[in-house]
Amino acid sequence: MARNIQSVERAAAMLRLLAGGERRLGLSDIASSTGLAKGTAHGILRTLQHEGFVEQDDVSGRYQLGAELLRLGTTYLDVHELRARALVWTDDLARSSGESVHLGVLHQQGVLIVHHVFRPDDSRQVLEIGAMQPLHSTALGKVLSAYDPVAHSEALEADRKPFTDRTVCEPDAFENILDLTRARGYAADVEETWEGVASIAAPIHDRRRMPVGAVGVTGAVERLARDGELRPELIAAVRDCARAVSRDLGAGRF
């Protein structure tokens, strides 16, 4: 029978320890509870912290579970379940808005499109399921970056290249956009990624109120905006769709 890898067992024991009882634990507490020398425990914690599974409070020095571990936990909610819950609502959004609808999730420092509803007209369109979009310039990406701490970190660490002269790349300006996104409950992309194209997106949450995706509409600027302002009825429709999917996932009212 194959032997277990001791370092992995020790890391797992630490994660279980941090998952129960006290919210934050010091190095001495973790070492004594796991029966490890402080140096050994610190080395494992440092590795877990580097991978995002553990976070250390800057003031107290105590450790707690990190955002990346929470992100892995949300994979219990399979992408296929998210897509299945969103099917009816995204179809309704496409019909009511007259625009194409995309459902996206965080994947490899970008937005993975997991569902795409065509614009309900006779125009030629390309199915974009499986396509990747950037985090810093698209409406879907801004929503994920605003509500998901892992997406936020990845957006800041990524090479935020300009796609048009409207793309916001500077960290402080990008953070301001994320603050505005959280305050409004939606994000916009008006020719920041593609010339002549605008999009509006809102966050989807699961039963634990964790952000698990974003949904949005995309279309020509002249259709999504009037007099330079995004149409409020489209913003409301996107937010209603996101709330409906979230409710179906058990998130309750937002």
Side-chain angles (χ1 to χ4, degrees):
M1 183 176 178
R3 294 171 58 187
N4 293 338
I5 300 174
Q6 189 178 56
S7 59
V8 176
E9 289 183 329
R10 289 172 170 176
M14 288 184 183
L15 294 175
R16 292 192 186 97
L17 180 65
L18 291 170
E22 294 286 340
R23 177 174 171 77
R24 294 174 177 171
L25 293 173
L27 175 60
S28 297
D29 296 325
I30 295 172
S32 62
S33 296
T34 55
L36 298 174
K38 280 188 179 181
T40 302
H42 184 255
I44 296 173
L45 285 168
R46 189 170 60 247
T47 301
L48 290 171
Q49 185 178 1
H50 177 74
E51 295 298 326
F53 297 144
V54 164
E55 294 175 356
Q56 186 178 27
D57 182 71
D58 292 334
V59 178
S60 68
R62 290 175 172 265
Y63 295 89
Q64 65 182 27
L65 294 180
E68 178 62 18
L69 191 64
L70 297 177
R71 160 60 56 186
L72 291 178
T74 63
T75 58
Y76 175 77
L77 171 66
D78 191 271
V79 168
H80 295 297
E81 181 183 354
L82 172 62
R83 182 176 178 273
R85 298 286 186 178
L87 285 177
V88 172
W89 301 112
T90 51
D91 283 348
D92 286 347
L93 178 59
R95 281 194 295 269
S96 65
S97 67
E99 303 295 343
S100 62
V101 176
H102 295 89
L103 181 69
V105 298
L106 177 66
H107 181 68
Q108 295 181 349
Q109 295 188 324
V111 183
L112 174 66
I113 303 302
V114 297
H115 185 52
H116 175 199
V117 184
F118 282 163
R119 184 171 62 253
D121 60 20
D122 296 327
S123 63
R124 183 178 179 181
Q125 300 173 63
V126 177
L127 188 65
E128 296 181 21
I129 294 176
M132 293 291 294
Q133 294 186 2
L135 286 169
H136 70 286
S137 63
T138 62
L140 293 172
K142 291 176 192 176
V143 164
L144 293 175
S145 299
Y147 289 90
D148 186 328
V150 177
H152 178 249
S153 297
E154 292 186 353
L156 290 178
E157 293 169 2
D159 179 19
R160 294 181 302 280
K161 65 178 183 179
F163 297 103
T164 74
D165 58 6
R166 293 173 176 264
T167 308
V168 176
C169 301
E170 293 300 318
D172 289 345
F174 181 64
E175 289 285 10
N176 289 337
I177 287 175
L178 299 188
D179 289 341
L180 182 61
T181 297
R182 286 185 285 267
R184 299 190 304 190
Y186 72 92
D189 165 11
V190 181
E191 297 187 284
E192 294 177 47
T193 311
W194 302 281
E195 295 284 356
V197 177
S199 58
I200 305 164
I204 296 172
H205 297 80
D206 69 1
R207 60 184 63 86
R208 292 171 292 177
R209 300 296 181 93
M210 292 292 294
V212 293
V215 63
V217 295
T218 300
V221 173
E222 58 267 24
R223 294 197 305 268
L224 267 66
R226 292 197 188 106
D227 300 323
E229 297 292 333
L230 291 170
R231 291 164 53 193
E233 67 270 23
L234 287 181
I235 295 171
V238 170
R239 295 192 67 195
D240 286 346
C241 177
R243 284 192 287 260
V245 178
S246 297
R247 285 196 300 270
D248 276 5
L249 292 172
R253 295 185 63 85
F254 272 84

